[in-house]
Amino acid sequence: MPLAATASVLVDGPSELVFDYAIPEDLKVLAGCRVRIPLRNRSATGTVIRVGKASENDFSLRYLSALIDPEPLVTPTLLRLAEWITSYYGTPLEQVLRSLLPGSIRGENTSAKTKKAAKIKSPPNEEELAALSKKAKRQYTILSLLMVSEKPIPIADLGGSKITGALKTLTEKGWIEILDLEVRRDPDAGETFLPTEPLALNSEQNAALKAVETSLKNEDKKTPILLHGITGSGKTEVYLQATQATLDLGKNIIILVPEISLAPQTVRRFKSRFSKLSEDIAVLHSNLSQGERFDEWHRIRSGKARIIIGARSAIFAPVKNLGLLIVDEEHETAYKQENPPKYHARDLAIVRGHLEKATVLLGSATPSLETYQNTLSEKYHIVKLTERADGASLPLTRVVDMRIESRKQKGRDAILSDILRSSIKQRLESDEQVILFLNRRGFARSLQCPPCGHVIECSHCAIPLTYHRAEERLICHICGHQAIVPRTCPECRDPAIRLQGYGTEKAEIILRKVFPQAKIARLDTDTTRRKHALRDTLRDFRAKKIHILLGTQMIAKGLDFPNVTLVGVLNADLSLYAPDFRAGERTFQLLTQVAGRAGRGALAGEVIIQTATPHSPSIQFARHHNFEGFVEQELEMRKNFGYPPYTHLALLLARSSHERRAEFTLQTLHRKLQENLPPEILLGEPIPSPLTRSHSQYRFQLLMRGPNARTLSRHLNKVLNATPTPEDVIVTADLDAYDLG
Ligand code: ADP
Ligand code: ZN
């Protein structure tokens, strides 16, 4: 008998093997199905990536053994998205599929949770019932409860083990049956969400909603929409009403937020607005237990959950009939996955929207330059919200020149200016709260002269050179240019340029000395390692058990504390002069977000920014809330120096516990990359990473840039595939890298 069809199966495991199998006649196998297969003399599992017609030569194929799940776990679109990721980021498909379908979802170590329940099978007649009510009270009660209930009732709720005998009799009589009821492990069980009504939109919000609705109804052409709205302008209200409009069309919605633990209000607002449909909302994030994730995922897969809110991996939610994809705070780097596949969830949203003909809505108060450039070139639409929806005004922002403070406090690190110190004191006296930021992102340190503010930069690349202590050298992280460390500032001749800066820990010590009566809490990667530490500290802060919250940028996002009337940025230069071409953009975003934190309640807010370069454009534009002005000069710099959004970027990293071998491997790759290098690609020199050692591994890196992402990744992956690396060296590539070490 001729074969009907064959399936190409990607075998689970790191080998990336794909084999063809014959499909037995009685199995309905589709692309995306999980299957069991014979592999040599054992049995293995895998995912069907293609189903095809059998050809003449296929008579020798072995048969698939079994289907693991009756329905494909990966929808056809998600399979195509996975293939897109493989070709763009160069991550093997098997590894991509493992991201799409983690073990907890494949049901390998988790399964649906059930409990026994009873339901009516065929009810007794009147006489039988009357008889029971006299001689078998317990059976009578159970029956009357079940007869009025539309749903099965868990046995535990009917009386548990006390009623075992009664249930047995009722079942034997054929009146009721016992079945397994699936119970949902609900991460928000026990919380109540009071329903909210849609607000009457202002005219800008209305225009934004109309743009989304037009796109939803336009079947063939879906242009992504950027919602550029200042903090507090009512973007979330637009998301809520756009979600309703999508539900009304019978379609489903994914909402991405940068990090769930930092967006509890967003989740609450969705749950409240759609609380009548609470079964319809699923939440996906990394803090779910395996069981909760399994249940949420399968509720999405079965079509029960129609609104999905989640962090970046929720872009892989197996939603069918997707109508709208919302990416809140689209500029956030938390959307970039740090482990392979190193995808960017916002970029995947655009791709998925295109594959599924869904509307993509990106929202931000400070859009990324990548996205903004796409609105300038009219690839995306833009709609703007220019005023705060609740009528509040933006806080007053003051910039303090720390060069003057540094001269006053001779030689020591000036942490608190006189203005900031007295403003904090005033807030403490009137029982208001203070947030202080000290950005200590990354490990790289550039050299800045405290007395004059001068920063030593690479003349080719317009970024600060990075100080490498081990080599006593200054190195450019873009092109590899090296320089010796000057003994005095090239600008003002002051030797203070070599002084070490300070971090959050030291700032905390000083704050405790200056404000001994105040309750102070610190939030950074060191203090939030404990599970729930971040959540607990924020809760205490909200309850006013903490007066001053000192933290890194992790607390800048989306938080809303009505009693905070003062926000201080201790040293804006730490972020502004990070050796990264995005430093200006990040500083602008940070300062804008920070300003959005102050004065959200009835009290007026104030922002104080401390810097040794008070006239730098990022600070001045942020102070005047001038996004367009900032973008204009920043795009010009990016264009002149060949940075994104005008180019794509790839970071190649080699790490090993053997320093020389890591370095040598990267040098070899560099040489290979130089051969047949497409002329439009700029290839940087191999250099030690800013984070020179991590987990006792030495790290070396190089950067490549080119106008076309495909050309870049093709060249890179060709070289990587053709160059064997020593066993103890790990090489990773990061296309569209955000973290430059
Ligand atoms: P964003 O998401 O842009 O930061 P929000 O949606 O959180 O802004 O809105 C800020 C505040 O304004 C919230 O308290 C919200 O309830 C309120 N708000 C939003 N839209 C309106 C509106 N049309 N009328 C009145 N208040 C609104
Ligand atoms: Zn350089």
Side-chain angles (χ1 to χ4, degrees):
M1 194 180 61
L3 273 175
T6 63
S8 301
V9 178
L10 176 63
V11 183
D12 289 350
S15 56
E16 285 292 314
L17 296 170
V18 177
F19 291 118
D20 286 349
Y21 289 88
I23 301 177
E25 290 238 330
D26 56 336
L27 285 189
K28 190 160 167 277
V29 175
L30 302 168
C33 279
R34 303 270 306 141
V35 289
R36 193 166 285 290
I37 43 170
L39 189 67
R40 290 189 208 95
N41 49 8
R42 64 188 176 92
S43 163
T45 52
T47 308
V48 176
I49 53 174
R50 256 183 315 277
V51 172
K53 275 215 181 78
S55 72
E56 313 260 295
N57 329 333
D58 286 341
F59 59 87
S60 60
L61 285 184
R62 298 172 79 178
Y63 276 93
L64 289 175
S65 336
L67 261 177
I68 298 177
D69 298 284
E71 261 206 274
L73 278 194
V74 193
T75 63
T77 328
L78 283 177
L79 202 55
R80 280 165 69 200
L81 187 64
E83 284 167 340
W84 187 92
I85 293 172
T86 293
S87 81
Y88 191 85
Y89 294 104
T91 314
L93 187 59
E94 203 276 336
Q95 201 172 1
V96 177
L97 287 177
R98 249 181 294 149
S99 282
L100 254 78
L101 284 182
S104 57
I105 288 162
R106 297 181 181 193
E108 279 157 11
N109 28 35
T110 324
S111 57
K113 189 174 160 192
T114 58
K115 57 183 170 188
K116 296 275 177 219
K119 93 176 225 252
I120 287 293
K121 195 172 175 195
S122 76
N125 59 34
E126 301 270 323
E127 284 159 46
E128 288 167 323
L129 208 55
L132 276 181
S133 77
K134 298 208 182 74
K135 61 181 207 320
K137 277 251 156 47
R138 190 168 270 169
Q139 291 181 35
Y140 175 76
T141 316
I142 294 170
L143 270 178
S144 18
L145 283 172
L146 291 178
M147 281 164 69
V148 294
S149 166
E150 285 167 18
K151 291 184 196 157
I153 300 180
I155 288 171
D157 300 347
L158 287 170
S161 56
K162 282 196 300 235
I163 58 162
T164 314
L167 286 177
K168 189 155 174 268
T169 317
L170 291 172
T171 317
E172 280 165 4
K173 297 237 173 89
W175 291 332
I176 69 162
E177 62 184 332
I178 306 295
L179 46 91
D180 286 322
L181 194 64
E182 262 190 38
V183 282
R184 176 180 167 205
R185 288 154 288 198
D186 180 358
D188 283 334
E191 283 212 58
T192 46
F193 297 95
L194 296 176
T196 59
E197 290 299 319
L199 299 172
L201 298 183
N202 62 35
S203 63
E204 288 185 330
Q205 286 174 312
N206 230 333
L209 181 61
K210 283 271 141 29
V212 177
E213 285 174 345
T214 308
S215 167
L216 283 171
K217 285 177 188 150
N218 187 342
E219 279 305 321
D220 35 68
K221 194 156 184 295
K222 301 277 185 185
T223 307
I225 301 167
L226 169 65
L227 177 59
H228 178 201
I230 64 169
T231 49
S233 60
K235 294 185 290 296
T236 312
E237 186 61 34
V238 174
Y239 302 156
L240 288 165
Q241 301 200 18
T243 298
Q244 185 63 58
T246 312
L247 290 174
D248 292 345
L249 291 172
K251 295 195 170 170
N252 304 326
I253 302 97
I254 297 178
I255 300 122
L256 299 184
V257 293
E259 210 195 302
I260 282 278
S261 64
L262 292 174
Q265 303 98 320
T266 310
V267 176
R268 289 195 76 85
R269 283 170 75 180
F270 271 88
K271 289 217 166 181
S272 296
R273 180 64 55 87
F274 301 101
S275 65
K276 279 174 237 141
L277 320 161
S278 79
E279 273 295 301
D280 284 8
I281 298 187
V283 180
L284 287 176
H285 57 86
S286 55
N287 280 342
L288 296 182
S289 70
Q290 294 222 340
E292 287 167 350
R293 183 190 311 277
F294 182 91
D295 288 357
E296 293 297 81
W297 200 89
H298 284 275
R299 282 174 59 237
I300 299 167
R301 186 72 189 93
S302 68
K304 258 194 216 139
R306 297 185 51 201
I307 305 172
I308 292 89
I309 307 180
R312 60 176 176 256
S313 63
I315 191 59
F316 300 131
V319 191
K320 281 177 267 189
N321 200 12
L322 183 66
L324 178 64
L325 255 162
I326 298 173
V327 185
D328 189 24
E329 310 283 1
E330 67 83 27
H331 64 278
E332 279 293 340
T333 44
Y335 284 123
K336 176 80 174 177
Q337 160 100 351
E338 297 290 350
N339 302 315
K342 301 190 177 195
Y343 63 86
H344 195 298
R346 179 241 295 142
D347 297 345
L348 293 192
I350 301 288
V351 177
R352 185 165 178 186
H354 180 74
L355 290 173
E356 291 197 49
K357 292 215 169 78
T359 298
V360 181
L361 179 63
L362 311 176
S364 175
T366 51
S368 64
L369 291 186
E370 283 80 357
T371 296
Y372 199 73
Q373 171 62 24
N374 280 326
T375 69
L376 294 178
S377 65
E378 294 180 356
K379 270 203 218 157
Y380 300 176
H381 290 313
I382 182 167
V383 281
K384 297 183 189 182
L385 307 180
T386 57
E387 267 153 34
R388 281 199 163 178
D390 52 6
S393 54
L394 285 167
L396 182 75
T397 301
R398 283 202 269 179
V399 178
V400 181
D401 189 340
M402 290 307 277
R403 290 174 298 188
I404 301 167
E405 299 292 324
S406 154
R407 258 171 256 145
K408 273 196 265 178
Q409 307 184 16
K410 256 269 168 279
R412 289 184 298 129
D413 286 322
I415 290 185
L416 289 176
S417 59
D418 290 341
I419 297 181
L420 185 56
R421 186 195 310 250
S422 61
S423 295
I424 295 175
K425 191 159 165 277
Q426 203 186 320
R427 289 329 192 281
L428 293 175
E429 280 161 6
S430 54
D431 220 13
E432 293 163 18
Q433 288 169 293
V434 179
I435 295 182
L436 297 177
F437 284 99
L438 186 59
N439 219 11
R440 208 186 38 174
R441 205 188 160 281
F443 301 84
R445 206 168 76 77
S446 46
L447 283 195
Q448 182 178 29
C449 172
C452 83
H454 180 72
V455 176
I456 300 182
E457 290 194 341
C458 172
S459 48
H460 314 289
C461 304
I463 64 158
L465 295 175
T466 305
Y467 177 51
H468 285 246
R469 199 195 312 205
E471 295 92 349
E472 267 294 311
R473 297 224 139 224
L474 293 170
I475 304 180
C476 171
H477 283 170
I478 300 287
C479 73
H481 169 75
Q482 301 203 1
I484 52 166
V485 184
R487 307 219 143 264
T488 59
C489 172
E491 199 68 22
C492 76
R493 300 286 152 214
D494 197 300
I497 192 161
R498 294 168 61 116
L499 288 178
Q500 284 287 339
Y502 61 94
T504 37
E505 223 166 305
K506 188 165 166 199
E508 184 186 3
I509 293 170
I510 290 179
L511 283 168
R512 288 192 192 284
K513 266 195 206 134
V514 180
F515 304 107
Q517 28 357 17
K519 291 228 166 46
I520 300 170
R522 171 162 67 96
L523 275 181
D524 53 27
T525 39
D526 294 330
T527 63
T528 51
R529 228 162 260 150
R530 184 175 60 81
K531 205 181 170 191
H532 301 315
L534 176 65
R535 199 192 62 188
D536 294 349
T537 307
L538 293 178
R539 193 193 47 215
D540 288 350
F541 189 57
R542 189 176 296 279
K544 301 189 197 171
K545 289 182 196 157
I546 296 165
H547 305 124
I548 303 176
L549 185 61
L550 167 69
T552 52
Q553 72 282 354
M554 70 164 61
I555 56 175
K557 305 158 190 168
L559 298 175
D560 198 346
F561 298 103
N563 195 45
V564 171
T565 53
L566 173 65
V567 173
V569 179
L570 294 182
N571 183 357
D573 301 355
L574 275 188
S575 110
L576 190 51
Y577 300 112
D580 184 333
F581 65 90
R582 286 195 179 91
E585 180 182 9
R586 289 204 176 121
T587 305
F588 181 87
Q589 288 166 351
L590 175 73
L591 296 182
T592 307
Q593 298 288 344
V594 159
R597 301 283 70 81
R600 291 210 95 173
L603 305 165
E606 184 185 15
V607 177
I608 294 178
I609 300 171
Q610 301 190 143
T611 168
T613 51
H615 299 294
S616 78
S618 304
I619 291 177
Q620 285 304 325
F621 284 123
R623 179 184 175 201
H624 295 110
H625 313 293
N626 183 354
F627 178 78
E628 275 82 10
F630 167 73
V631 164
E632 197 180 320
Q633 59 91 36
E634 184 70 12
L635 282 178
E636 193 176 310
M637 184 281 274
R638 300 280 183 94
K639 194 170 207 163
N640 289 342
F641 288 92
Y643 290 126
Y646 300 100
T647 55
H648 288 267
L649 198 87
L651 181 80
L652 194 59
L653 182 77
R655 57 193 162 91
S656 168
S657 50
H658 283 266
E659 186 172 7
R660 290 288 147 256
R661 273 215 275 275
E663 188 177 16
F664 181 73
T665 304
L666 195 65
Q667 282 164 348
T668 309
L669 285 168
H670 180 254
R671 223 176 30 246
K672 296 264 168 74
L673 284 166
Q674 250 167 349
E675 294 165 15
N676 307 320
L677 184 72
E680 70 272 29
I681 293 183
L682 285 171
L683 179 63
E685 295 290 321
I687 58 161
S689 292
L691 175 59
T692 325
R693 263 185 89 175
S694 163
H695 303 290
S696 42
Q697 286 186 318
Y698 294 88
R699 299 150 60 95
F700 292 82
Q701 67 182 45
L702 68 80
L703 264 180
M704 300 166 71
R705 277 179 282 166
N708 185 305
R710 294 279 171 188
T711 318
L712 197 59
S713 75
R714 213 175 292 132
H715 184 62
L716 183 59
N717 289 321
K718 203 171 72 193
V719 170
L720 286 179
N721 291 335
T723 317
T725 50
E727 229 169 57
D728 53 357
V729 180
I730 299 167
V731 174
T732 50
D734 186 357
L735 192 69
D736 296 334
Y738 280 76
D739 188 354
L740 303 186

